[in-house]
């Protein structure tokens, strides 16, 4: 294989919240070619055995065998490092041709990215799920190409529920009743509420959606301190955290990866989880069930959806070669292969239909069913990166006993308005 796939990975946590640990690096040598395209990509693996490096190496080898005049040079970094690495390259004036990372809007607003419509063939661009295509737009122009997606369901420990004589909750009140029964049975984390800095923005948004709120209003304007959001976090503070039902670690100090590990160890009764938790639980022998996220009065009407993004930088040219390669990346076969390898949801209609019809994917189908009605982060806002960081830093304080949801959400709303104005 001429293409090179390099890896630099430490402990990782992606925008989808997928933890991975990998060490070492490898470089495949190469012949010269007419065009060399560089891609910086994130690692979704849980170790060297399933590093994304292997996925890209196979894909690149197959592409280059049919395109002898194009060399694809892929560098794979941990989620702790990949966004920073791309920013450093852009700041140095040497952006990669393509980047597969957590956000695209800042680069689009700076005029650094190719329009998706100038890259992909019409059938490939039209194959993206519509809500993900829209989430990839800035000022009604698509610059971000969704690469991987995830939704959330409520996971529960079947053994712990059976011992306590419980059925899965459908409402907040039922969730509290289950948590109280689990707490009485000595379960360490009756409900795990990870609002630590790793992925607080995800857990927060899922709860806000279940209370008929969210980060933005129907017009896309920040509405972080809405009445619905204040009521949701006040309920969390009083009914879960204040009653000691979220375990021995303060929610603001509990990271998502730690909560998942505790569930896989049998120490958690319930938590919101994405598909990768299934494999973690299976490996540890934990029997689990999955149901839609409970809402204030019933099933939450809209689940959290998360996507990671592919983008292409204009500076180096090679628009046609980039577009042809990305058409290959987004073929049904390759999207399915990646989604199945890492327990993620496909971002295209063709791969989604294939997965929904396949018996081998039946366990992930409940997550797939949530995707069409899911709500994404406001990733099309250039201010989102700053707002996201503030949420991670502050939101845990809102649900502390004696904390002020209205005060914290008010601070976050003010910060969001300032960031929006600056953008």
């Amino acid at each position: 294989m001429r293409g090179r796939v390099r890896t630099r990975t430490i402990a990782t946590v992606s925008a989808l919240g997928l933890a991975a640990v990998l060490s070492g690096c490898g470089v495949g040598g190469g012949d010269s070619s007419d065009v060399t395209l560089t891609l910086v990509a994130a690692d979704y693996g849980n170790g060297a055995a399933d590093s994304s490096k292997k996925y890209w190496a196979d894909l690149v080898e197959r592409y280059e065998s049919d395109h002898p005049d194009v060399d694809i040079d892929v560098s794979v970094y941990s989620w702790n490092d990949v966004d920073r690495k791309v920013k450093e390259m852009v700041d140095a004036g040497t952006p990669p041709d393509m980047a597969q990372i957590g956000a695209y809007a800042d680069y689009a607003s700076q005029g650094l990215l190719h329009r998706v419509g100038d890259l992909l063939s019409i059938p490939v661009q039209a194959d993206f799920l519509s809500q993900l295509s829209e989430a990839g737009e800035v000022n009604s122009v698509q610059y971000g190409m969704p690469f991987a997606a995830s939704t959330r369901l409520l996971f529960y420990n079947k053994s712990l529920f059976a011992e306590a004589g419980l059925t899965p909750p459908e409402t907040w009140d039922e969730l509290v009743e289950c948590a109280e029964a689990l707490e009485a049975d000595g379960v360490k984390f009756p409900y795990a509420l990870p609002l630590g800095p790793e992925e607080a923005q995800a857990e927060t948004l899922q709860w806000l959606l279940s209370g008929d709120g969210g980060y933005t209003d129907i017009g896309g304007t920040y509405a972080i301190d809405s009445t619905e959001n204040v009521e949701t976090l006040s309920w969390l503070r009083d009914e879960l955290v204040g009653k000691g039902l979220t375990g021995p670690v303060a929610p603001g100090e509990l990271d998502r990866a730690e909560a998942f590990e505790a569930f896989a160890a049998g120490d958690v009764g319930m938590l919101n989880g994405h598909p990768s938790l299934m494999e973690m639980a299976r490996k540890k022998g934990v029997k689990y069930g999955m149901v839609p996220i409970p809402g204030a009065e019933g099933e939450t009407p809209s689940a959290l959806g998360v996507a990671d993004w592919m983008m292409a930088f204009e500076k180096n040219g090679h628009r046609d070669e980039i577009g042809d390669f990305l058409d290959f990346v987004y073929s049904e076969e390759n999207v399915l292969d990646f989604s199945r390898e890492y327990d993620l949801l496909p971002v295209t209609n063709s791969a989604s239909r294939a997965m929904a019809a396949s018996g081998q994917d039946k366990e992930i189908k409940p997550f797939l069913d949530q995707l069409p009605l899911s709500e994404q982060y406001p990733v099309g806002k250039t201010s989102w990166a700053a707002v996201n960081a503030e949420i991670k830093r502050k939101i845990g304080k809102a649900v502390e006993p004696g904390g002020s949801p209205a005060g914290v959400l008010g601070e976050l709303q003010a910060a969001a308005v300032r960031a929006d104005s600056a953008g």
Side-chain angles (χ1 to χ4, degrees):
M1 185 189 78
R2 292 181 299 101
R4 295 175 293 166
V5 181
R6 299 176 294 175
T7 305
R8 299 170 179 83
T9 312
I10 314 174
T12 76
V13 180
S14 82
L16 294 178
L18 306 178
V21 178
L22 178 68
S23 62
C25 61
V27 178
D31 307 323
S32 61
S33 60
D34 291 345
V35 173
T36 296
L37 300 179
T38 56
L39 166 63
V40 174
D43 199 315
Y44 291 80
N46 290 308
D50 67 347
S51 168
S52 297
K53 174 187 174 183
K54 294 188 175 183
Y55 172 81
W56 286 112
D58 173 72
L59 185 147
V60 165
E61 183 174 24
R62 288 185 285 114
Y63 181 80
E64 289 182 341
S65 68
D66 290 331
H67 300 81
D69 295 330
V70 179
D71 191 31
I72 310 295
D73 186 345
V74 185
S75 297
V76 178
Y77 291 88
S78 78
W79 274 105
N80 284 347
D81 302 324
V82 67
D83 291 278
R84 174 183 54 78
K85 178 61 178 177
V86 172
K87 184 178 186 303
E88 289 173 352
M89 295 172 73
V90 172
D91 290 347
T94 57
D97 294 292
M98 296 163 284
Q100 185 271 298
I101 53 178
Y104 67 89
D106 281 351
Y107 299 127
S109 68
Q110 296 172 50
L112 300 178
L113 301 181
H114 286 289
R115 297 181 179 211
V116 175
D118 294 335
L119 291 171
L120 301 180
S121 65
I122 292 174
V124 172
Q125 186 178 4
D127 198 25
F128 288 130
L129 296 170
S130 60
Q131 76 273 27
L132 297 181
S133 289
E134 293 171 5
E137 295 178 355
V138 173
N139 297 326
S140 300
V141 176
Q142 187 179 358
Y143 296 95
M145 292 161 275
F147 184 74
S150 178
T151 57
R152 300 293 195 271
L153 292 171
L154 181 74
F155 281 71
Y156 66 96
N157 185 309
K158 282 188 171 182
S159 300
L160 297 178
F161 265 60
E163 291 170 8
L166 301 173
T167 57
E170 297 180 359
T171 67
W172 287 358
D173 287 344
E174 291 176 3
L175 187 147
V176 168
E177 293 172 2
C178 289
E180 288 175 335
L182 294 167
E183 194 271 339
D185 279 357
V187 176
K188 188 175 182 180
F189 292 91
Y191 179 88
L193 182 66
L195 295 178
E198 176 197 320
E199 205 189 19
Q201 83 286 356
E203 183 73 12
T204 300
L205 181 54
Q206 182 59 76
W207 274 100
L208 299 184
L209 292 172
S210 70
D212 293 324
Y215 289 141
T216 58
D217 60 23
I218 194 170
T221 301
Y222 282 117
I224 297 175
D225 61 347
S226 69
T227 299
E228 293 83 0
N229 292 346
V230 172
E231 289 177 350
T232 294
L233 293 193
S234 297
W235 185 91
L236 276 175
R237 178 197 61 191
D238 298 338
E239 300 299 322
L240 278 181
V241 182
K243 292 181 177 179
L245 301 178
T246 54
V249 181
E253 297 175 6
L254 181 66
D255 281 337
R256 194 273 318 154
E258 295 169 340
F260 276 22
E261 290 169 1
F263 185 86
D267 292 331
V268 174
M270 300 172 283
L271 83 169
N272 293 332
H274 53 61
S276 71
L277 183 55
M278 297 188 297
E279 181 65 17
M280 292 180 65
R282 281 195 297 264
K283 286 182 176 179
K284 293 296 183 69
V286 171
K287 296 180 179 179
Y288 61 89
M290 303 178 298
V291 294
I293 304 292
E297 303 297 334
E299 180 181 329
T300 300
S302 180
L304 166 66
V306 179
D308 294 332
W309 300 94
M310 177 75 77
M311 65 213 69
F313 289 87
E314 287 186 327
K315 182 169 183 178
N316 302 326
H318 307 314
R319 184 185 70 181
D320 291 344
E321 291 85 357
I322 292 171
D324 188 75
F325 175 66
L326 290 177
D327 273 359
F328 181 71
V329 168
Y330 283 105
S331 68
E332 179 181 322
E333 175 190 359
N334 288 328
V335 173
L336 276 174
D337 285 349
F338 185 85
S339 301
R340 287 167 171 162
E341 176 67 25
Y342 297 108
D343 284 328
L344 293 167
L345 302 181
V347 297
T348 62
N349 288 294
S350 59
S352 295
R353 287 192 296 268
M355 185 172 279
S358 171
Q360 77 179 86
D361 302 305
K362 61 182 180 180
E363 195 169 25
I364 208 168
K365 192 175 184 300
F367 295 96
L368 194 62
D369 291 342
Q370 296 278 344
L371 192 56
L373 299 177
S374 65
E375 182 164 331
Q376 307 288 314
Y377 302 130
V379 291
K381 288 179 171 289
T382 58
S383 57
W384 171 240
V387 175
N388 181 20
E390 283 295 290
I391 292 170
K392 290 179 177 182
R393 191 167 68 88
K394 292 183 175 180
I395 200 67
K397 298 176 182 178
V399 299
E400 293 175 350
S404 172
V408 172
L409 292 177
E411 292 175 8
L412 291 172
Q413 175 69 14
V417 170
R418 288 194 300 269
D420 225 18
S421 299

